[in-house]
Amino acid sequence: MIDSSLQSKDPLEKSTKRIASGFRLPYWLNTFNVGLVMVVILLGLALLAPLLSPFDPNLQNIQDRLLAPDAQHWFGTDRFGRDLFSRVLYGARPTLILVSLVVILTVPIGLIVGICAGYFGGWTERVLMRMTDIVMSLPSLVIALALVSILGPGLMNGALALAFTSWPSFARQARTETLSIRRSDYLSAAKMQGITGWRLIIGHILPLVLPSAIVRAALNLGGIILAAAGLGFLGMGIQPPTAEWGSMVSSGSRVIFDQWWVAAVPGFAILFASLAFNLLGDGLRDKMDPRHDK
Amino acid sequence: MSVLELKDVSISHVQGLEKNTVVHDVNVSVKAGECFGLVGPSGCGKSTLLWVLAGLNPHWSGGIQLLDQPLKPGKVFSGELRRRVQMVFQDPYASLHPKHRLRRALSEPLKLLGYQDIDDRLSEGFKLVGLTENMIDRYPHQLSGGQRQRVAIIRALLLEPKLLLLDEPTSALDMSVQAEILNLLNELKAKRDLTMIMVSHDPEVVDYMCDHAVTMKAGRIDKETFYD
Amino acid sequence: MTNNSSLIQVENLHIGLEDGTELVKGIDFSMGRERVALVGESGSGKSLTARSLMGLLPASLHVQANRFELLGEAVLAYSQRQWLQLRGKQVSMVLQDPKYALNPSQNIGRQVEEPLVLHQSLAKKTRVEKVEHMLDAVGLPNPAKLRKLYPHQLSGGMGQRVMLAIALINDPQFLIADEPTSALDHAVRDQVLELIASLVEERNMGLLLISHDLQQVADYSERVLVMYQGQLIDQLPASQLSNATHPYTQTLWSCRPNIDKRGQALPVLDRGALATLTEGAAK
């Protein structure tokens, strides 16, 4: 009896639900998955560049300079006659290496500074946070340029320069989160059990602060890719003839009105990479942060 | 023999340059083996006083003698004293670390103290509070409120305290679960020779549990009761 | 029962998750203009049942019933727009904690006035008069001054009185109070319950009072419904509680500690026996 009544109710329920929710995307098509697929494609292309690229990226061929895209040179050639498709593939490598170096440097520094400031409070907090504020108010690309011009251009120095200006946002976030859990009962309970100092910070505070730092890192990566391309564009990144997207755009810009693809192809590569990490970060935030839950 | 002796204890919250005294001149003596109650409406200072006794708030003045040791204001508890005073918090949802499994939460302090037979002690603790041992690899959010409060009680008892502080241990629980937890606390008190200090806003809970209680009002002791 | 103009008629109400887990397992009840207590432990489905009566369940929960009538209307198929017409006007609700239920950035006057603005078209002056009259009715001193205050300036008991003023200002026919006193101090609880009960009686409304503390709400209700794990396992007049036959009701009734029970263990639930009992009832 119950069953029949439930069934008679069902169609009405379903139809109202459909109207209320409107057009729905398939469940697997979300920001996180799209971002993840894009990042995996990016990593795959960078790793397999020697297999995938039809030409040596540094092979100059003056006869074939500035060719439009065709069956042989899919993306055309630059002003030294180098194959742009191969160069874009190889160009993914320095970008990804630089970006990972920046993350490896900034996340731990930011977390240590932020957690210490939030946990110890008092003068420790004041000194650390004023330092953070000062670094945060510096114009990041200008400072990075200045640092590179002192240290000399190159991959490692570019990463150091970008890392120097991008850790403060991690520190601020970690401090805010530490403050919010500093007075929590479970930390008080841990202290009452004799757990103090670094044991408390690493075992109890870090696991709660780390997820949002990872999300922020993923979101920041998009910006770091742009900054890395900026350094390359201004000639402060990896030096030619190594393929790098920023410097490729720069050299393409000289012929942008007649042979637009020379600048546009690496430009699109930068767009793709930056978008991939932005989507991934956004999706990660939706997944990990309950406040953004649907 | 008294476990706790308070003499003219005042407690202040310091905010910037302002000092706001919330507990004034409390004088109280708690005997060993007693269940001592602190009753009063919210904001009367009873929890503040308990947090001082727990060693979690060093901003006090006056004289405190705890487990035969004189305390100094501004000092954190350490060593033997830290271990012998344990607390069960009000909200079992907030007092267990959300990312630690029970096994880790319970065994970490024992490891620090250098115990070898940690697993035996944990299973004994689970038996003591009436939980099944297969819960030990769960996270706190996989337990009900009453089960979490039992875990919090094990956590406190594993360190073999002399003084157990209870900060509204049942006010976040259902009435029927409250009965279970109160029964458990009474059993443990008898078995373990514990002294307990219990904060509550429910006079009936204190009437039922305590041997000795004070009612607080606006930071002062309003009334002292001895039950026979 | 006592009143023929039934406010609520519920037959075979099921509430479940999308994966098929049943949280409320087919309950029947009806009530008129009377005070009814809905009692159970957390997870018994009492709050879900109440929220379904306000159309406030999240979309991820499925509600099904043979009959689901509120004030004689079949409300199960109501759209959000239709619910908005009903909520705050004909039916309203008081929540657990005024600290979270009141908007911290608006003053009290504006929050009490809002249901009037939404459901009636009155002049500003009349609205202010009504607000002050309502604040006075819920026992708050100096309404004219209180209107200008913000929630953080009130104590918990006063906040809950403000919640009650908001709920009652449109003279609804039916009020749901979901654990209205569990965030309050013990001393204030009885005052607030007393106030709710007397206002409801004065206005000839229906009241559904949800709680886990049977002894406390029994004094303020005429009839008691007891829920356990999604089932309605017992219903009886409040005056008969001391003679309750169901073991669960008996335990809930007697598990509260007091000075006379010193030295004895408090009665607790035999959950194993209860599980077999409820399974038997379900079949």
Side-chain angles (χ1 to χ4, degrees), chain A residues 14 70 75 91 96 104 108 151 176 178 210 214 217 248 286:
Chain A
K14 283 229 172 106
D70 59 26
F75 291 165
L96 289 174
I104 291 168
L151 299 168
T176 319
T178 310
L210 196 60
I214 292 171
M248 286 165 72
D286 289 346

Side-chain angles (χ1 to χ4, degrees), chain B residues 202-228:
Chain B
D202 186 341
E204 286 182 307
V205 170
V206 171
D207 281 346
Y208 172 72
M209 291 288 291
C210 296
D211 310 302
H212 172 197
V214 294
T215 308
M216 288 185 70
K217 207 171 175 182
R220 293 173 199 278
I221 291 187
D222 189 46
K223 199 175 82 185
E224 188 161 6
T225 325
F226 290 91
Y227 300 89
D228 352 277

Side-chain angles (χ1 to χ4, degrees), chain C residues 111-141:
Chain C
Q111 295 187 54
V112 179
E113 188 183 339
E114 198 167 12
L116 286 179
V117 179
L118 286 174
H119 295 288
Q120 298 183 36
S121 41
L122 299 171
K124 176 83 189 162
K125 214 177 132 215
T126 343
R127 290 206 303 261
V128 171
E129 267 170 31
K130 275 199 144 205
V131 167
E132 291 187 0
H133 184 250
M134 194 64 232
L135 289 175
D136 187 50
V138 295
L140 287 166

